Amino acid sequence: MSTGLDAQVVVIGAGPAGSATAVHLARAGVDVVLLEKDAFPRDKVCGDGLTPRGVHQLLRMGVDITAPGWRRNRGVHVHCDGREIEVDWPDTGRYPDFGLTRSRHDFDELLARHAETTGARLRTRTKATAPLTDAAGRVVGVSATSADGEPVEYRAAIVVASDGVSARSALATGWPRDTRTPIATAARRYYRTDAFHDDDRLHLWADVSRAGDDAALPGYGWLFPLADGRINLGLGGVPHHRHGATDLRATFQQWVTRLPRQWKLEESAAESPLRSAALPMGLNRRPQYRDGLLVVGDSAGMVSPWSGEGIAQAMEAGEIAAGAVTLALTRPPGARREQALRHYPTEVDRRWRTHYRLGNLVAEQVFARYGYRPLLNPAVMGSKMTTRLLARLFAHLRS
Ligand SMILES: Cc1cc2nc3c(=O)[nH]c(=O)nc-3n(C[C@H](O)[C@H](O)[C@H](O)COP(=O)(O)OP(=O)(O)OC[C@H]3O[C@@H](n4cnc5c(N)ncnc54)[C@H](O)[C@@H]3O)c2cc1C
């Protein structure tokens, strides 16, 4: 067996969380290896939407968002029971006043290559198979299967697990998720239509009905226009014991047929199958550091329980994690290094804890039971001030 390459830090998974972590580490001069099991480009089931908080993270990484392939949006267009409102992203001075869309097929490769250009050593088609631990149970590296199918080991001072919703690395160290936090499921499909070519908003529906019983979907539907003339159409929700699991496929089919005919979302316009995946919400692994292993992004359940947004959170947490790791590496192994690493969960808590706590409660008590409809009643939708406040709350955009 090859002993592989040693590095100061090994990052498992080159989604937004892993690539962002690697960018910030490499920029700080840290020797980092970024392992990705797939080859790029690859698909990832997602809505492909970024709020201003996500755009802010791209800017902080030096990603060129003026290059072709990005599509800007200035806010959301909300549909509910025949009422429609348009809400602009707030102009806070702290975040950009626009969002972006880009298919994850492109986005993830772009970010991973950016990490590589910044100095990270990207190893695609390299699948982490198990964490390496020392006698005390501390994670000291990872064993993997290399692109040519050979077993390989990467030993490192610190390991970052950003392997997505499967969270295999954390689970392999005996680190379960907090089952009290919500997990949503969502499905999306691409269509080609020219109906949205000059539309600069993300569309959201709070009035989707479930197939079968016509109860309210415990979530929402979306339509996000992309730069390449396609749209990403999807829906999702939080399961609840009150109404059981939603048949997402049947609900999607029923919903599409009810959308305006002039949008031409017929079968012949579809450019992909309908695909679904889970969204781990509400900070389901806390604190996000233990025994040499940091968890970032979906592997730490960082999807917002308010909105289902997880890309911005994954990238932001990657930046926080990289900061803590960079400081830790200036210290010798031992108590002071541990203190620096523990700053990662402390900072995540400081920024997000209140927002997620409240979000978990609202997701459980409102969204999972009744969907988003109660929040978008005529009184709310008739008030510009209230809808602006809601947009700020859902996208976590404090001034
Ligand atoms: C249907 C749907 C719609 C969504 N829409 C949106 C949206 O519009 N906006 C938004 O912000 N969020 C959205 N999300 C959430 C968002 O997709 C995730 O929160 C985000 O991708 C999390 O990033 P991540 O890097 O943590 O995980 P991932 O993006 O899942 O990346 C994990 C990476 O790790 C790799 N990996 C896994 N195991 C291994 C291994 N053993 N070895 C090496 N590599 C490994 C994977 O191949 C992958 O590249 C949506 C999710 C779903 C399911």
Side-chain angles (χ1 to χ4, degrees):
M1 180 192 283
S2 157
T3 54
L5 302 170
D6 289 338
Q8 285 180 291
V9 182
V10 172
V11 177
I12 306 165
S19 290
T21 308
V23 167
H24 290 290
L25 284 172
R27 275 183 155 187
V30 173
D31 177 27
V32 51
V33 170
L34 175 59
L35 307 181
E36 169 54 49
K37 69 176 169 53
D38 292 331
F40 288 115
R42 57 111 180 87
D43 206 11
K44 156 76 177 88
V45 181
C46 189
D48 305 329
L50 285 173
T51 62
R53 205 167 170 125
V55 181
H56 180 65
Q57 284 304 316
L58 292 177
L59 295 175
R60 291 179 68 78
M61 282 187 272
V63 173
D64 179 7
I65 58 164
T66 62
W70 299 102
R71 178 158 174 167
R72 287 190 184 206
N73 57 74
R74 58 190 290 215
V76 291
H77 184 137
V78 184
H79 307 247
C80 188
D81 297 325
R83 300 181 296 276
E84 295 185 29
I85 43 160
E86 294 190 336
V87 189
D88 288 349
W89 295 122
D91 187 7
T92 63
R94 179 169 174 173
Y95 297 106
D97 59 359
F98 62 94
L100 289 169
T101 53
R102 184 162 193 148
S103 87
R104 296 290 298 274
H105 186 262
D106 297 346
F107 179 88
D108 286 29
E109 173 162 34
L110 185 143
L111 224 55
R113 299 287 172 219
H114 186 59
E116 203 173 23
T117 310
T118 315
R121 290 185 276 146
L122 173 65
R123 300 286 178 265
T124 56
R125 294 170 58 221
T126 302
K127 183 176 181 175
T129 47
L132 297 169
T133 48
D134 65 12
R138 186 186 172 82
V139 178
V140 291
V142 60
S143 39
T145 312
S146 71
D148 45 21
E150 292 295 316
V152 60
E153 287 182 0
Y154 292 88
R155 291 187 177 270
I158 296 159
V159 177
V160 175
S162 45
D163 46 4
V165 62
S166 74
R168 288 218 174 82
S169 305
L171 287 172
T173 65
W175 191 353
R177 76 173 180 92
D178 178 349
T179 51
R180 292 166 302 179
T181 55
I183 290 212
T185 50
R188 67 94 172 99
R189 194 175 192 194
Y190 292 106
Y191 290 83
R192 191 165 293 279
T193 168
D194 56 11
F196 297 90
H197 74 275
D198 58 355
D199 193 318
D200 55 4
R201 290 183 187 274
L202 302 177
H203 289 255
L204 301 169
W205 279 261
D207 57 356
V208 181
S209 300
R210 294 178 359 140
D213 56 10
D214 259 0
L217 175 74
Y220 63 87
W222 71 80
L223 185 158
F224 295 167
L226 300 171
D228 61 10
R230 293 180 301 161
I231 55 140
N232 181 318
L233 189 72
L235 47 74
V238 190
H240 193 271
H241 55 82
R242 190 179 141 112
H243 49 59
T246 300
D247 182 341
L248 283 184
R249 183 166 297 274
T251 302
F252 185 91
Q253 299 301 356
Q254 178 179 292
W255 178 51
V256 179
T257 57
R258 290 180 185 174
L259 291 174
R261 287 173 71 91
Q262 65 271 25
W263 293 353
K264 301 195 189 99
L265 303 178
E266 298 122 12
E267 198 50 35
S268 57
E271 293 209 345
S272 77
L274 180 72
R275 289 188 62 201
S276 63
L279 296 93
M281 298 174 154
L283 303 180
N284 69 20
R285 274 190 183 81
R286 295 180 55 243
Q288 294 88 0
Y289 169 70
R290 73 185 206 193
D291 299 330
L293 186 73
L294 292 85
V295 284
V296 183
D298 276 12
S299 66
M302 289 182 168
V303 173
S304 163
W306 291 98
S307 62
E309 184 191 8
I311 304 171
Q313 291 75 1
M315 295 189 296
E316 187 171 337
E319 181 179 13
I320 304 169
V325 168
T326 305
L327 177 63
L329 288 169
T330 65
R331 301 175 175 188
R336 293 197 56 242
R337 179 176 282 187
E338 292 305 297
Q339 181 196 34
L341 291 168
R342 280 197 304 272
H343 183 67
Y344 166 53
T346 304
E347 179 60 14
V348 168
D349 260 18
R350 191 190 67 76
R351 291 191 197 190
W352 296 347
R353 193 170 180 188
T354 310
H355 186 72
Y356 276 75
R357 268 194 169 172
L358 190 59
N360 285 347
L361 194 71
V362 175
E364 166 77 20
Q365 298 300 327
V366 183
F367 304 153
R369 291 164 186 250
Y370 316 106
Y372 284 68
R373 228 188 210 125
L375 255 74
L376 293 162
N377 58 53
V380 169
M381 285 181 79
S383 158
K384 269 213 173 327
M385 201 178 78
T386 317
T387 49
R388 273 203 209 118
L389 273 174
L390 278 182
R392 272 183 191 231
L393 178 66
F394 277 74
H396 203 183
L397 297 169
R398 276 169 302 130
S399 47

